[in-house]
Amino acid sequence: MASPGRGADVSTDPRLLDDAALERSSVVANNAMNRGRGLSGVNSYARDLGFDPFAVLAERLPAPVRWIDVCCGAGRALLEAEERFAAEYPAASVALLGVDLVGYFQRAPRSSRLRLVTASAHEWRPEGVVDLVTCVHGLHYIGDKLALLTAMAGWLAPGGILAAHFDPGSIRHRDGSAAARPVLAELRRAGMDYDSRRHLVTARGPAALRFPATYLGADDTAGPGYTGQPAVTSHYTF
Ligand SMILES: C[S@@+](CC[C@H](N)C(=O)[O-])C[C@H]1O[C@@H](n2cnc3c(N)ncnc32)[C@H](O)[C@@H]1O
């Protein structure tokens, strides 16, 4: 597949945006979206993912654990995880990392266990393997969603977990028609699960995705996705 790129092939369709234009779009850069989910409770990662990230990481201790949250928003879930690890496992080797396009973090980390990075998930990539990768309602705003899903699956340590909210309906052919079928087929082939009720892709590492697709660009005028908020469709030739 084409690399996620500022160089998406938008020349053939003026409606499609490259990454730089998408990141300036009011659909991506707005105050209406929920950036403030905590770790557990009513408005939380545990609720939307169906599992508690802290519990998943704690289970893997005393081995060193690493969690990367892509499109982490205000970073509340990570900040709360940092607090809980400090209180319950002060000596454990824990690395927590959040990445978001907008540096709108709730507060600064309290320790070197947590880093909050302002960067675009279109380009940012970690070094080393990861025990837990989450992307909670973030892919809806990404241009090349298939490239980011492929990358995140590739970061997993053996037995590591990926959980990302994903709307297969947001993957489109060049003409705007739905391309969910080949995408769901590839997720199945790679041994990944798609929970249509939660709109959640999950995988256990190692997981290798290979989408036979070339990214063309993104459309920020497609209207609301399943969350009810305006979302971005991603267009490909298959
Ligand atoms: C609906 S919010 C979810 C935030 C957080 N995961 C939560 O649930 O509280 C989506 C987040 O994706 C971020 N985002 C959008 N495009 C991005 C990009 N290209 N790279 C990194 N983050 C991005 C937005 O800034 C926003 O914080």
Side-chain angles (χ1 to χ4, degrees):
M1 91 177 331
S3 60
R6 314 246 144 214
D9 177 17
V10 294
S11 55
T12 51
D13 189 339
R15 183 187 45 142
L16 298 182
L17 306 177
D18 66 12
D19 292 346
L22 182 60
E23 288 162 17
R24 290 192 302 269
S25 156
S26 62
V27 169
V28 173
N30 72 70
N31 292 327
M33 63 173 76
N34 180 0
R35 290 190 167 91
R37 291 179 184 85
L39 191 59
S40 55
V42 179
N43 176 35
S44 75
Y45 277 35
R47 187 180 169 120
D48 282 23
L49 293 171
F51 66 87
D52 181 345
F54 178 81
V56 163
L57 293 170
E59 248 174 42
R60 294 172 81 95
L61 297 173
V65 291
R66 192 165 182 225
W67 173 18
I68 294 183
D69 186 27
V70 180
C71 302
C72 68
R76 260 193 71 206
L78 289 161
L79 288 159
E80 290 174 17
E82 182 193 30
E83 298 274 287
R84 282 198 63 186
F85 277 114
E88 297 174 39
Y89 300 98
S93 172
V94 175
L96 309 171
L97 202 151
V99 183
D100 200 277
L101 184 64
V102 181
Y104 183 62
F105 305 123
Q106 190 184 39
R107 61 170 171 78
R110 298 222 157 101
S111 71
S112 59
R113 278 174 154 177
L114 172 58
R115 276 177 58 213
L116 296 173
V117 177
T118 304
S120 174
H122 290 131
E123 291 165 347
W124 183 89
R125 296 291 179 263
E127 280 171 20
V129 293
V130 187
D131 302 288
L132 176 63
V133 180
T134 51
C135 186
V136 174
H137 302 295
L139 279 171
H140 316 321
Y141 307 98
I142 294 295
D144 193 347
K145 301 182 208 311
L146 300 184
L148 183 54
L149 258 181
T150 303
M152 293 190 295
W155 303 343
L156 293 176
I161 293 174
L162 164 67
H165 290 99
F166 177 58
D167 181 357
S170 68
I171 305 299
R172 305 284 175 89
H173 293 287
R174 182 188 288 272
D175 65 2
S177 62
R181 198 176 292 178
V183 173
L184 292 172
E186 173 55 12
L187 292 176
R188 271 195 302 275
R189 187 211 57 78
M192 295 170 66
D193 186 56
Y194 180 67
D195 179 337
S196 56
R197 191 178 62 83
R198 286 191 183 278
H199 305 278
L200 192 70
V201 172
T202 52
R204 280 239 174 224
L209 284 168
R210 284 187 301 275
F211 290 104
T214 301
Y215 179 56
L216 299 173
D219 183 2
D220 66 347
T221 66
Y226 71 82
T227 64
Q229 293 289 315
V232 170
T233 54
S234 304
H235 296 243
Y236 296 83
T237 49
F238 285 83

